[in-house]
Every structure is written in C-alpha cells, then in structure tokens.
C-alpha cells in the first residue's frame, strides 16, 4: 500500500512531519510493502491559492491510498475524499514514526477537515 | 463629489467617520463597500427594501461528455479544478471565473453556470441617507465584482461617501480608484502610524488627493501622526477625541453626531474643505 506523509524537509524516513497539508514543502511517498520511500517536492507550497486542491491532485497522481498529516483543510479534504484517499491525523515527529504509528493502527482517521485554509 | 473613507487596518474608526459624515451632509449617498464586513448598517438601522444578487460564472462539467483528458485541470492557473478517479471536480470558491476551461475543453463538456457571489441592498434609512450596501457571500473570495456592481449604483447628482474595506489590497483599491478624494482614518499610536504610511503610499500611487482624520485623538499622543503629516504635507482634516461617551454610543450602535449635533458642523466643515481643495485643484489645472 502506498501512503503519503507531509514532510518539512527532504531527509528520507528522518524527515520531519509537516503540520499542514496544502503547503507542506514535501511529501514522502512510502510503499509499505516494498519499504520504499520517495520524497516529492510540493509545487503548491508556494501557490497563491488553491494549494490544498493542487496538493491533493499531486498525491492522488502518485497513486496513494492514505495520507498522514497534522491537518487537512476543507477543500483538500473534499478533493481527497473524492479521490478515495483516507486521511489520518498524526502528531509524530518523523516520517518513520508516523508510518510506524499508522501500521500499528495508532492513528485516528479524519472524518472532517481539521485545518483552516490559508489564502 | 465622491469621497472614500479608508484605513490601513480594521478597527480604526473608518465606519464611524463614514456614518457620522453621511449624517452631517445633506442629500448624501452612502455606499458600504466593505463587503466582507459591511458595518454601517449597525449604525443606520436600515430597512432594506431592494436587493440585487450579483452573479459570476463557474464551470459545470458534463461527466457524460468528459473523456478525462485533463486539459482543463492543467489549464486552470488557480487550481480550481482537480481530476480525481477520472472525474473532474470544480472548486467554485477558488474559481476566478476566467472562462478559460470552457474554451479549452475539446469535448464541449464544460458549460458556465451562474453562482451567486454576493448581494447589493438598498434602503433609504430613517435618516435622510440613500444607502447601498454590498455583501460578499461567505466562503467567496473575490470582493471586487461586488464592489464594481455597488459603484454602479452611484447617484452622480449627489455627493457620495464610500466606506472601503480596510487594508491596501484589490478590494480597497477598487473602492477608491475613481474617487475624487480619500479620507484616511487612523489612530495616534505607532501601529496607526505604520498603517497610515502604507495607506498614504497607496493614495500617492493612485494620485488621489487625501487627508487624515485622527480617531481616538489624545493630546499627549497626537504628535505621532502630526509629525508624519507635517513632514509629508498631508492635511489633518479632523480629530475625533477619545471620549468615553463616544465609545458607549458606538457600542449601542448610535452614531455620535445624533447625541452631539455640534459635531455635525465639524463634519460638514471637513466636507466643505474637501470641496475647496478639489475646486482649487481644478482651477490650477
Ligand atoms: S477538458 Fe473537457 S474532456 Fe478534458 S477533462 Fe476537462 S472537462 Fe473532461
Ligand atoms: S473558469 Fe478559469 S478559474 Fe474557473 S475553473 Fe475554469 S479555468 Fe479555472
């Protein structure tokens, strides 16, 4: 299964989890079976508007089934829901820990947006 | 004559000035162009008797015709479209109504539909004011078309006061851009000064003459604004003192000129002065 984790920097599994989704500088795309990780830059990080939607498009195009993030704003939430991508809120510090928590079923699934959009 | 009241940030007394001034000059039209937070109504208690919806066009996708080619999604600069599981999603709040996606779709799958952006409301208030208010619907981001439509209600036979959105971004500029004069409202604090500087820069760039009203004026701190205005040759039109009574009236939604009619003369004088400045300018041109 492929999952995406918001990342503040580009440092493999040790990257820091980014609190916000839309403007997260990177996404760690983790294939949990193959144990492969790939960090992709988020072009929406500096977008003037619609960052959440653009970021949702990016991770959907990567074929991920779940997203781990501190928070997800309303528009991104609705885009990801339409894309059948499940969202989980995490407070873990690193991508490695967040993925571990996810695999141990320690993360709670988001059933509504928990982030505020930034213009 | 069209006069716009503006301020670098909210909460400085812009609405107080606009409302009290409108109540002091006969046969006036007041346009509340602070469409995200139209506050004049709390002081004028209008009975709105007319309203007009403002629409803009957003795309609608015919999923039967759409082949998921993705051209529209890639085209939209504003990220208002997304392709999820071969279906195009539209995010109306982000859409800037540029119409581009409709033109670019090779399958004719996109049509434009109306979406309500905001509303204009009219009332002749209990006071003798011809009052129009613009309102932007919640969740919408572009105020400018509502302000444009509001300004079309200008009755050029009358003197017009416009209450602009605080700040110096597009909605404020749209409100003031074709005014004859700008009144910048500020407070005698360091924050007030820094906001005033930004607002006066804007007016200089727009080449619109302007003056300053100091709200919550206090003798021991007015110099903060006065020094700046002196140095830059900006007229201080009026000082509204910091008074507990004014604050009480404000919180009760009563314009202070109603209880202190002597202030009507003060506002009227400011208005006459502005007219004088403009006449002089015309003369020298
Ligand atoms: S451009 Fe037209 S056909 Fe292509 S994805 Fe968009 S709506 Fe569908
Ligand atoms: S009308 Fe313009 S802004 Fe709106 S969705 Fe189409 S391309 Fe994007």
């Amino acid at each position: 299964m492929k999952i995406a984790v918001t990342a503040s920097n580009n440092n493999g599994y040790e990257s820091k989890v980014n609190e916000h989704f839309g403007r997260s500088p990177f996404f760690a795309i983790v294939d949990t079976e193959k144990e492969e990780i790939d960090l992709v830059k988020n072009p929406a990080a500096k977008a003037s508007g619609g960052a959440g939607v653009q970021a949702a498009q990016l991770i959907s195009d990567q074929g991920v089934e779940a997203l781990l993030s501190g928070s997800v704003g309303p528009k991104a939430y609705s885009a990801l829901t339409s894309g059948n991508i499940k969202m989980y809120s995490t407070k873990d510090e690193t991508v490695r820990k967040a993925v571990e928590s996810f695999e141990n079923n320690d993360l709670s699934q988001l059933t509504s947006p928990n982030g505020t959009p930034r213009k | 004559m069209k006069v716009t009241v503006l301020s670098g940030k909210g909460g400085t007394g812009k609405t107080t000035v606009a409302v009290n001034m409108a109540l002091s000059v006969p046969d006036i039209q007041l346009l509340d162009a602070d469409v995200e937070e139209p506050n004049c109504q709390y002081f004028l208690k209008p009975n709105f008797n007319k309203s007009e919806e403002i629409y803009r066009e957003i795309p609608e996708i015919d999923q039967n015709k759409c082949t998921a080619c993705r051209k529209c999604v890639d085209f939209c600069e504003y990220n208002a479209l997304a392709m999820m599981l071969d279906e195009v999603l539209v995010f109306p709040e982000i859409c800037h109504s540029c119409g581009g996606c409709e033109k670019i779709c090779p399958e004719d799958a996109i049509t434009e539909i109306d979406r309500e952006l905001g509303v204009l409301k009219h009332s002749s208030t209990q006071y003798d004011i011809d009052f129009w208010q613009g309102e932007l619907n919640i969740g919408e981001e572009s105020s400018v078309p509502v302000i444009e439509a509001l300004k079309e209600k200008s009755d050029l036979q009358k003197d017009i006061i416009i209450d602009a959105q605080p700040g110096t971004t597009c909605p404020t500029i749209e409100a003031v851009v074709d005014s004859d004069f700008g009144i910048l409202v500020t407070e005698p604090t360091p924050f007030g000064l820094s906001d005033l500087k930004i607002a006066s820069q804007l007016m200089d760039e727009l080449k619109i003459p302007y003056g300053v009203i100091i709200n919550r004026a206090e003798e021991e701190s007015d110099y903060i604004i006065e020094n700046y205005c002196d140095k830059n040759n900006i007229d201080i039109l009026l000082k509204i003192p910091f008074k507990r009574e004014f604050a009480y009236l404000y919180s009760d939604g009563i314009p202070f000129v109603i209880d202190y009619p002597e202030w009507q003369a003060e506002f009227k004088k400011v208005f006459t002065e502005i007219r004088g400045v403009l006449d002089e300018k015309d003369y020298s041109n």
Side-chain angles (χ1 to χ4, degrees):
Chain A
M1 172 181 192
K2 252 183 165 184
I3 61 176
V5 192
T6 55
S8 303
N9 55 342
N10 179 356
N11 189 20
Y13 279 109
E14 303 318 317
S15 306
K16 283 185 74 181
V17 174
N18 197 63
E19 200 188 320
H20 306 289
F21 172 65
R23 291 181 194 277
S24 177
F26 297 92
F27 295 111
I29 309 293
V30 180
D31 188 320
T32 51
E33 278 110 45
K34 296 188 194 148
E35 290 184 27
E36 276 172 6
I37 182 166
D38 188 18
L39 271 109
V40 294
K41 215 171 164 169
N42 178 14
K46 291 189 176 72
S48 58
V53 176
Q54 199 184 353
Q57 184 74 66
L58 174 83
I59 68 161
S60 162
D61 292 345
Q62 294 282 331
V64 309
E65 290 170 57
L67 164 73
L68 319 185
S69 172
S71 65
V72 179
K75 294 185 191 98
Y77 181 87
S78 99
L80 292 165
T81 306
S82 302
N84 249 341
I85 296 169
K86 295 193 173 66
M87 292 154 263
Y88 297 85
S89 154
T90 173
K91 291 200 164 59
D92 288 313
E93 248 179 57
T94 62
V95 168
R96 180 185 305 281
K97 285 195 187 129
V99 173
E100 276 171 18
S101 306
F102 173 71
E103 292 194 307
N104 295 333
N105 282 327
D106 283 345
L107 300 182
S108 53
Q109 191 177 337
L110 286 178
T111 51
S112 62
N114 64 345
T116 45
R118 278 196 290 168
K119 280 189 188 173
Chain B
M1 182 168 74
K2 215 179 213 183
V3 177
T4 293
V5 185
L6 57 162
S7 63
K9 70 163 167 73
T12 50
K14 181 177 59 67
T15 301
T16 301
V17 168
V19 168
N20 283 296
M21 171 109 44
L23 289 170
S24 306
V25 186
D27 199 24
I28 198 100
Q29 186 181 42
L30 176 63
L31 307 180
D32 195 343
D34 190 356
V35 300
E36 285 184 47
E37 280 179 70
N39 285 340
C40 293
Q41 56 181 330
Y42 302 125
F43 300 95
L44 295 173
K45 320 243 167 16
N47 280 318
F48 290 116
N49 52 8
K50 228 197 299 185
S51 69
E52 280 172 34
E53 289 77 30
I54 310 296
Y55 294 96
R56 65 187 179 101
E57 293 190 321
I58 56 156
E60 187 178 56
I61 319 288
D62 182 342
Q63 303 293 351
N64 293 324
K65 287 190 186 167
C66 174
T67 55
C69 75
R70 212 172 159 147
K71 288 207 169 90
C72 56
V73 176
D74 294 337
F75 174 83
C76 181
E77 262 182 72
Y78 301 103
N79 304 310
L81 301 173
M83 173 79 65
M84 291 285 161
L85 307 178
D86 285 349
E87 201 165 289
V88 179
L89 307 179
V90 182
F91 291 85
E93 298 93 343
I94 321 176
C95 167
H96 281 54
S97 301
C98 76
C101 53
E102 187 205 8
K103 295 199 177 66
I104 211 158
C105 173
E107 308 295 334
D108 254 343
I110 302 183
T111 47
E112 290 183 322
I113 54 165
D114 278 344
R115 175 181 166 96
E116 193 186 306
L117 177 63
V119 61
L120 303 183
K121 291 181 181 167
H122 178 261
S123 155
S124 42
T125 57
Q126 49 172 316
Y127 313 109
D128 183 26
I129 300 176
D130 172 10
F131 177 53
W132 278 97
Q133 159 176 309
E135 279 174 32
L136 183 72
N137 286 1
I138 291 170
E140 291 290 341
E141 286 178 9
S142 32
S143 316
V144 171
V146 179
I147 299 167
E148 278 171 352
L150 177 69
K151 286 198 305 180
E152 278 170 24
K153 298 297 174 194
S154 299
D155 180 349
L156 299 173
Q157 307 298 318
K158 291 181 181 162
D159 285 320
I160 301 169
I161 296 174
I162 299 178
D163 187 0
Q165 184 172 309
T168 48
T169 55
C170 297
T172 307
I173 296 171
E174 181 57 42
V176 71
V177 70
D178 47 7
S179 288
D180 301 304
F181 196 88
I183 296 176
L184 311 189
V185 183
T186 189
E187 293 173 332
T189 64
F191 296 117
L193 177 62
S194 84
D195 291 320
L196 174 63
K197 283 182 185 165
I198 300 168
S200 63
Q201 260 167 26
L202 171 72
M203 299 303 281
D204 288 336
E205 275 165 38
L206 294 173
K207 299 199 171 60
I208 298 172
Y210 60 95
V212 167
I213 290 185
I214 306 179
N215 189 34
R216 297 192 199 102
E218 282 184 289
E219 232 166 88
E220 53 288 11
S221 43
D222 286 348
Y223 72 91
I224 301 176
I225 302 298
E226 286 165 342
N227 288 352
Y228 173 76
C229 289
D230 268 355
K231 222 168 76 204
N232 293 282
N233 256 324
I234 302 169
D235 282 342
I236 295 180
L237 305 165
L238 187 68
K239 292 183 195 173
I240 302 170
F242 182 80
K243 260 189 161 179
R244 188 162 295 172
E245 293 84 347
F246 286 5
Y248 285 145
L249 287 171
Y250 180 88
S251 59
D252 287 343
I254 298 167
F256 67 80
V257 295
I258 301 295
D259 277 25
Y260 295 85
E262 64 272 23
W263 275 89
Q264 276 182 324
E266 297 289 331
F267 279 106
K268 210 169 162 183
K269 213 160 81 196
V270 171
F271 214 74
T272 315
E273 234 175 83
I274 294 174
R275 203 187 298 278
V277 170
L278 293 175
D279 285 349
E280 218 171 273
K281 203 174 128 253
D282 275 352
Y283 193 67
S284 62
N285 277 346

